[in-house]
Amino acid sequence: MRQFIIYLLMVWFISSTSAINVIVPDTCMKMIKLYLYDTRFHFCVTALNSDPRSSNATNIQQLAEISFEMDISKAKSISVTIDNLVENTTQHDNLTRKAFNDCKLIYSFAAIELTAGLEALKAKNYERAIVFADSAVQRAKICQLGLRKHMIGVSTLIRENTYFMNLASISASFFFPHN
């Protein structure tokens, strides 16, 4: 009897683990195949799996909601990073300060748009959700261009901005024909 219970527990564990692990890589693979964004498979899987809620997602809708929430959180986090950078920028370095403030504004708008996108997603208005996610990607690109143009931005901000662009690209890729 004991062996039978152990056997049942092992079967349950294996089946629940495989169900949990399949939705993220399958979804990421579908995104890659569509080439809609330069969403890298490994980044997609790693990023989505970094949120523990992904292991409980049973469908793409839930995974997309998690992705949007991750984007919103990252946009707010980058705004805090920018605030810290502005505090450490001398008053005489106007180009640096302007670039940081431009990015701060961009990320404030990105967080607002992604929040609206999440609401659209929950209402199953996928076209509207994709517009908001795509806008966040485009805003991050503008920030990146401004930082690189002036060769400023501390490599930390450029790295965070690049991460955000890739992360938001995942959200922007959810609602294409594969759904």
Side-chain angles (χ1 to χ4, degrees):
M1 178 71 167
R2 182 174 179 212
Q3 289 177 337
F4 180 71
I5 292 173
I6 291 173
Y7 172 77
L8 286 177
L9 287 173
M10 286 176 50
V11 169
W12 173 80
F13 177 76
I14 290 170
S15 66
S16 65
T17 303
S18 63
I20 288 171
N21 293 333
V22 169
I23 191 168
V24 171
D26 282 355
T27 301
C28 291
M29 185 56 71
K30 288 176 185 174
M31 290 177 188
I32 299 300
K33 287 180 180 177
L34 290 172
Y35 300 110
L36 297 169
Y37 274 96
D38 187 18
T39 307
R40 291 168 179 84
F41 178 77
H42 179 71
F43 177 83
C44 180
V45 171
T46 302
L48 291 175
N49 279 332
S50 72
D51 190 309
R53 297 173 299 167
S54 294
S55 64
N56 295 322
T58 58
N59 59 50
I60 293 174
Q61 174 80 22
Q62 292 171 348
L63 202 56
E65 289 177 16
I66 292 166
S67 180
F68 266 83
E69 290 167 357
M70 290 171 65
D71 294 343
I72 294 163
S73 176
K74 187 64 177 171
K76 290 177 180 179
S77 168
I78 290 174
S79 289
V80 171
T81 298
I82 293 170
D83 285 340
N84 292 334
L85 291 170
V86 168
E87 284 180 22
N88 295 326
T89 304
T90 64
Q91 292 291 346
H92 302 292
D93 196 353
N94 288 335
L95 282 178
T96 301
R97 191 173 282 280
K98 180 178 179 343
F100 287 157
N101 285 329
D102 288 348
C103 284
K104 169 78 174 172
L105 185 61
I106 284 169
Y107 276 100
S108 296
F109 282 131
I112 292 167
E113 288 176 330
L114 287 164
T115 301
L118 178 60
E119 293 306 312
L121 172 63
K122 289 178 179 179
K124 299 191 186 314
N125 185 342
Y126 301 126
E127 290 175 9
R128 187 167 167 84
I130 192 65
V131 167
F132 286 120
D134 183 58
S135 180
V137 173
Q138 300 311 316
R139 287 184 184 279
K141 287 180 181 178
I142 292 168
C143 175
Q144 193 85 325
L145 288 172
L147 294 172
R148 289 180 188 241
K149 178 180 177 185
H150 301 294
M151 296 304 289
I152 57 168
V154 185
S155 61
T156 301
L157 181 55
I158 291 174
R159 272 194 309 274
E160 284 194 49
N161 192 62
T162 300
Y163 181 86
F164 177 81
M165 282 189 293
N166 290 328
L167 191 62
S169 292
I170 295 170
S171 294
S173 298
F174 268 104
F175 311 104
F176 287 103
H178 69 276
N179 289 355

